[in-house]
Amino acid sequence: MPELPEVETVRRELEPWLVGRRIRRARRVDAPRGPKYAGLERARGRRILGVARRGKFLLLPLSGGLELVIHLGMTGTLTAREPDGHVRAVLELHGRAPARLYFRDPRRFGRMLVVGAGDYAALPTLARMGPEPLSDDFQAPAFFAALQSSSAIKTLLLGQRPVAGLGNIYADEALWTARIHPRREARQLSRRKTYELCDAIEAVLSAGVEAGGTTLRDYRSLGGQPGGYAPKLQVYGRAGEPCPRCGAAICRIVVGGRSSHLCPRCQRWPAQRG
DNA sequence: CTCCCGTCCTGTGGGC
DNA sequence: TGCCCACAGGACGGGA
């Protein structure tokens, strides 16, 4: 569900509220003991030093060399107001109200755990995550190098290795923008094409952030607001509608088990050559 | 090491 | 109206 723009929107709301606050307690609620909620008790008494983001992960450095890691999974939302149900964890703060952060997650794909600062051994995707796409760390030549794989380009992007933060929606949007078929073998893309994709990723994600993210169903910002990017989606969820660029009917295919949306005319499979 | 596929969960929407 | 099934924005672990 939440991809980089949605997580960044939440991060920006959390930051002024949480930074400097001391944690009274962090507790699991209706979530099984296990790695997804490991070490929450260690947050007790710590101060929140910052609210950062890497890809789709929220990272809250704590005093005492610890770090609170939150991943919203598919359906996770954070809220200051107590939700109806599906609360998996609560962060209780000292001091002024609002003093509770609720983590609601119907499908239980999300996680909230405390690790040693920078110790991502329990989070392999985070440990091996590629550069932040909206930072100077995202450079076209390194991106090209990271695409030298036999995987389908979209599958590779969803793995978070070439670049951080893309999910199913923005991957489809970026590939449409760069006119690349999602099933193309990544290493067969020309250098120039990968540079176009680099630009498209940056453009699509920054527009997503600017709009406050995409709400298809579940996503809400901390204040309960839906994102404004859904009407700006060009292909995602628009199978059968005309391509905004050429008018051909957008189609839906499955790539790596994920539904994928593309324009069959703009995003042609490369012509077979003899 | 890389790559592919199944799995973890609950809710919802569409088709019959 | 009601039921059932397919599908949903992500990450991980196991096996090839």
Side-chain angles (χ1 to χ4, degrees):
Chain A
M1 158 213 195
E3 308 180 28
L4 185 150
E6 292 76 41
V7 179
E8 175 62 19
T9 300
V10 172
R11 188 202 70 74
R12 290 178 181 185
E13 290 177 300
L14 287 173
E15 189 168 48
W17 176 33
L18 293 183
V19 173
R21 300 291 289 269
R22 206 154 58 82
I23 296 171
R24 185 187 296 277
R25 184 157 81 121
R27 58 187 168 91
R28 269 182 308 119
V29 180
D30 189 22
R33 192 177 295 281
K36 288 185 171 180
Y37 292 87
L40 282 187
E41 66 286 347
R42 290 205 285 166
R44 180 191 293 269
R46 306 294 181 183
R47 198 171 292 278
I48 299 171
L49 303 178
V51 180
R53 179 190 55 72
R54 271 292 276 138
K56 307 170 197 172
F57 288 83
L58 287 166
L59 304 175
L60 283 65
L62 306 179
S63 56
L66 297 176
E67 192 170 328
L68 179 65
V69 178
I70 303 171
H71 195 292
L72 301 175
M74 292 268 247
T75 55
T77 52
L78 294 171
T79 167
R81 252 189 41 190
E82 184 166 9
D84 275 352
H86 307 299
V87 174
R88 305 302 172 205
V90 180
L91 195 64
E92 300 174 11
L93 307 168
H94 285 284
R96 67 185 188 282
R100 284 184 176 174
L101 176 67
Y102 296 90
F103 182 35
R104 177 176 194 267
D105 182 26
R107 277 181 84 180
R108 303 178 199 255
F109 285 173
R111 60 201 65 210
M112 181 187 286
L113 63 157
V114 172
V115 301
D119 175 13
Y120 304 139
L123 302 154
T125 300
L126 179 57
R128 297 151 53 89
M129 187 160 287
E132 278 300 314
L134 303 182
S135 81
D136 292 342
D137 296 338
F138 187 40
Q139 296 287 339
F143 183 59
F144 175 76
L147 296 185
Q148 299 314 301
S149 158
S150 64
S151 296
I153 179 62
K154 180 175 174 184
T155 303
L156 197 61
L157 293 175
L158 292 182
Q160 310 298 301
R161 289 274 283 150
V163 61
L166 286 173
N168 209 30
I169 295 177
Y170 296 97
D172 279 4
E173 295 296 303
L175 289 166
W176 176 84
T177 301
R179 297 177 164 88
I180 297 169
H181 193 292
R183 208 175 266 156
R184 283 289 303 278
E185 187 176 349
R187 64 188 175 194
Q188 289 189 350
L189 295 170
S190 68
R191 184 177 288 268
R192 176 180 164 187
K193 209 64 182 160
T194 67
Y195 282 27
E196 288 176 19
L197 180 56
C198 194
D199 289 345
I201 289 168
E202 189 183 338
V204 162
L205 290 177
S206 57
V209 170
E210 188 140 345
T214 301
T215 297
L216 296 180
R217 172 181 293 154
D218 300 314
Y219 168 73
R220 292 293 184 280
S221 72
L222 191 66
Q225 311 302 318
Y229 198 70
K232 299 186 176 187
L233 295 173
Q234 307 291 296
V235 287
Y236 187 87
R238 298 194 182 282
E241 297 179 30
C243 168
R245 206 161 39 204
C246 79
I250 292 164
C251 65
R252 175 188 174 279
I253 64 173
V254 174
V255 182
R258 313 296 301 280
S259 80
S260 304
H261 310 75
L262 69 141
C263 170
R265 189 185 295 168
C266 295
Q267 297 165 268
R268 278 197 196 286
W269 198 255
Q272 299 300 313
R273 45 162 285 277

